[in-house]
Amino acid sequence: MLGFLIHCGDDNTNFQTFSSLLTATTAHSVHRSVYDCSDEAANYLFVIRNPLARALSAFNYAMPDLNDKHPFSKKFKDKEIYVDCNFWTLNDLAERGLIKDSHNTTEECRVRAKNALIGTGDNLVHWYYNYQYYYELVPPDAKIVVIRNEHIVDDWNSVETMLGGSADLTKEAIPVNNQYEKKPEEVYLSDTAKIVLCETLCNEIQVYKTILKRAQNMKKEHYIQSMQELMTSCPKEAMEETCAGAKPDISVKVEKAKGEMIY
């Protein structure tokens, strides 16, 4: 783990760790509403993944277990998405909530679905704190390094060598934490759902591409590799650099996280 804990040990699990220069020098965090970094920080580490894959993972992560005594979040309006609008899979949210001529969905639920996905609605925690949020939270001239979820070993080693360490991390050494077996319906996305999700996530995808471009440890072939992977899920957004809809204005959310609320 890094020089701080995020979720680790919340359930008294025995988490495995390993030592490196990266773990030793990463001592502060920007996570959700926590901003524990100086604007003069040497580097900002982004751990990222394909935005569509992130959206799917975040949807399943936030899904309430109705068998729990307190199934809903105290800070986020997850009940509005899952129970009130009856969106129990991301595929369902896409096909019934994001397509204008879909049936049996109220206008209120369509608005909720879109706003939640683009991060302006406070329904799902990891949709609300999205790539746009984290990117706008760090200083404009911040030095960025990246670890892609799909290429952890390569990217970890590239950052490690950039810091003066050795590229000796192997796939076998990586602990697997916070993982559960997923049901087929939880990961299924129809072609129609993928298209509308990618369209809605267009601005988020452009931010993802910008982060990759700015990353000091990313070589040109690494960026091309990620774009080729993005082409398999969101080909139109991978190729284009502009979106039909304007990027959401989240300046108040960002400043509030820094403790400098704009009125």
Side-chain angles (χ1 to χ4, degrees):
M1 72 192 134
L2 303 177
F4 49 85
L5 300 177
I6 297 179
H7 307 311
C8 298
D10 288 351
D11 56 358
N12 297 317
T13 306
N14 227 350
F15 282 83
Q16 298 175 322
T17 64
F18 50 90
S19 300
S20 70
L21 277 177
L22 179 55
T23 58
T25 57
T26 308
H28 298 273
S29 69
V30 180
H31 182 63
R32 299 185 186 176
S33 59
V34 175
Y35 188 86
D36 187 33
C37 296
S38 163
D39 284 348
E40 288 77 40
N43 295 292
Y44 285 82
L45 170 65
F46 281 76
V47 181
I48 62 176
R49 67 194 303 184
N50 180 310
L52 181 58
R54 183 182 189 271
L56 178 60
S57 176
F59 182 89
N60 291 329
Y61 173 83
M63 188 181 300
D65 183 347
L66 299 183
N67 292 319
D68 288 347
K69 184 177 180 180
H70 303 290
F72 304 111
S73 170
K74 294 180 180 179
K75 295 183 179 179
F76 291 87
K77 301 170 184 175
D78 50 352
K79 180 177 178 291
E80 291 184 349
I81 296 294
Y82 298 99
V83 177
D84 297 348
C85 292
N86 199 31
F87 298 140
W88 286 100
T89 67
L90 183 58
N91 189 78
D92 200 31
L93 180 144
E95 292 190 345
R96 293 200 301 110
L98 298 178
I99 297 176
K100 293 181 179 179
D101 59 352
S102 58
H103 302 290
N104 302 320
T105 302
T106 65
E107 181 62 25
E108 183 178 21
C109 283
R110 290 195 185 98
V111 171
R112 281 179 187 169
K114 179 180 179 180
N115 289 346
L117 186 59
I118 66 176
T120 57
D122 57 346
N123 297 99
L124 276 65
V125 57
H126 289 298
W127 283 5
Y128 186 71
Y129 296 120
N130 56 11
Y131 291 147
Q132 182 189 356
Y133 166 77
Y134 288 115
Y135 184 71
E136 293 188 16
L137 193 60
V138 304
D141 58 349
K143 295 179 180 179
I144 292 173
V145 293
V146 158
I147 292 178
R148 296 167 294 169
N149 186 270
E150 301 89 349
H151 304 283
I152 293 175
V153 172
D154 290 342
D155 295 349
W156 183 286
N157 284 332
S158 70
V159 177
E160 188 71 12
T161 55
M162 188 184 80
L163 296 173
S166 301
D168 53 9
L169 178 67
T170 63
K171 183 177 181 180
E172 292 72 25
I174 301 175
V176 179
N177 299 326
N178 196 25
Q179 186 180 47
Y180 70 96
E181 187 175 350
K182 299 173 182 64
K183 299 175 183 177
E185 62 269 23
E186 291 178 343
V187 297
Y188 171 75
L189 292 175
S190 68
D191 290 342
T192 299
K194 288 179 182 178
I195 291 172
V196 71
L197 286 166
C198 291
E199 288 176 350
T200 308
L201 287 167
C202 181
N203 285 296
E204 179 77 346
I205 291 170
Q206 303 313 314
V207 174
Y208 166 77
K209 290 157 64 175
T210 298
I211 293 171
L212 286 173
K213 288 177 182 177
R214 286 190 53 186
Q216 298 180 94
N217 63 312
M218 285 288 101
K219 297 180 180 179
K220 184 177 180 180
E221 55 264 35
H222 294 152
Y223 179 80
I224 293 174
Q225 180 185 45
S226 289
M227 291 305 100
Q228 290 172 338
E229 292 165 352
L230 185 60
M231 284 285 293
T232 65
S233 56
C234 299
K236 182 174 182 289
E237 291 72 20
M239 294 292 294
E240 296 182 355
E241 297 184 356
T242 58
C243 303
K247 183 187 296 185
D249 181 358
I250 61 169
S251 55
V252 171
K253 178 167 68 173
V254 169
E255 292 303 321
K256 183 177 180 180
K258 291 183 177 182
E260 301 170 357
M261 187 67 181
I262 296 176
Y263 292 93

